[in-house]
Amino acid sequence: MPSNVPTFPELLGSATSTAVHLEMRDSYAVDYEKGPFADWRAGFRHDPGDRASWWRPWLDLIQETVGRGVVVRRARIVSEPVSEYIRFEHSGTFTNITAGEQVRWLPRRQASAIALPGNDFWLIDGRLIRWNHFTGDGASAGGEISEDPAAVKLCTEAFETVWERGIPHDHYAIT
């Protein structure tokens, strides 16, 4: 990863008011043989009462960020019927919400008329973009930082439009 790309603790630590994240892939690289996705495929589900077992240290970082007064929102554009990976994400999203994130889902068919950037991103305080690059099979290809005003405007408008049209997590049913 390029040296100018801050770590997520640094990135979210720099946020003073907002941190928004747009995800547009139906699958990210997962290990089908081991790890959280494999466990989920085998029937594991997070126990809402066992917070210590959830995805750490990410949820601690979100909780700390929200605790400083930063509004953290995540929007996911998904194809329907959803992929197995999206089912996995959906089943564990309650942990993000418990940590303080707000999450909405937008069926891809409802995103056709939205001008979207070519990559997933985080937008911090409406001024700094962290692009998330991926390979064709969903593996991380690193990140990139931008403060380009045109890109910031595109990301802001895209995210807000997706957010307005999105369905809050607790109302988005996967069938």
Side-chain angles (χ1 to χ4, degrees):
M1 191 177 300
S3 61
N4 70 331
V5 178
T7 64
F8 280 105
E10 292 168 339
L11 183 70
L12 293 176
S14 74
T16 60
S17 60
T18 61
V20 301
H21 183 40
L22 183 61
E23 296 178 351
M24 299 181 282
R25 297 181 58 91
D26 288 317
S27 180
Y28 295 85
V30 294
D31 188 336
Y32 286 87
E33 303 299 320
K34 61 184 176 196
F37 186 63
D39 294 344
W40 178 85
R41 290 179 89 211
F44 172 80
R45 298 300 182 265
H46 286 292
D47 175 358
D50 186 11
R51 291 180 68 155
S53 70
W54 301 350
W55 187 23
R56 304 287 185 202
W58 178 255
L59 296 172
D60 294 329
L61 176 60
I62 293 299
Q63 191 169 23
E64 189 277 329
T65 302
V66 171
R68 291 187 293 105
V70 176
V71 175
V72 179
R73 296 183 292 162
R74 178 186 304 257
R76 292 177 171 142
I77 298 174
V78 296
S79 299
E80 292 180 319
V82 300
S83 68
E84 184 180 30
Y85 184 83
I86 294 300
R87 288 180 184 282
F88 160 69
E89 278 194 329
H90 187 271
S91 76
T93 295
F94 78 91
T95 64
N96 299 73
I97 291 169
T98 300
E101 278 190 58
Q102 300 172 42
V103 180
R104 292 191 182 180
W105 303 80
L106 182 66
R108 191 170 309 281
R109 289 179 184 263
Q110 295 176 28
S112 296
I114 301 171
L116 296 167
N119 296 289
D120 290 9
F121 65 86
W122 278 91
L123 178 62
I124 305 299
D125 295 331
R127 62 169 178 78
L128 177 73
I129 302 165
R130 184 201 192 275
W131 298 111
N132 295 332
H133 298 295
F134 296 94
T135 64
D137 64 2
S140 176
E144 179 183 354
I145 295 297
S146 175
E147 294 182 84
D148 174 64
V152 167
K153 183 177 188 285
L154 172 64
C155 289
T156 299
E157 291 173 355
F159 184 86
E160 292 305 329
T161 303
V162 170
W163 190 257
E164 289 169 13
R165 295 181 188 184
I167 302 163
H169 175 72
D170 59 345
H171 291 103
Y172 185 67
I174 290 190
T175 55

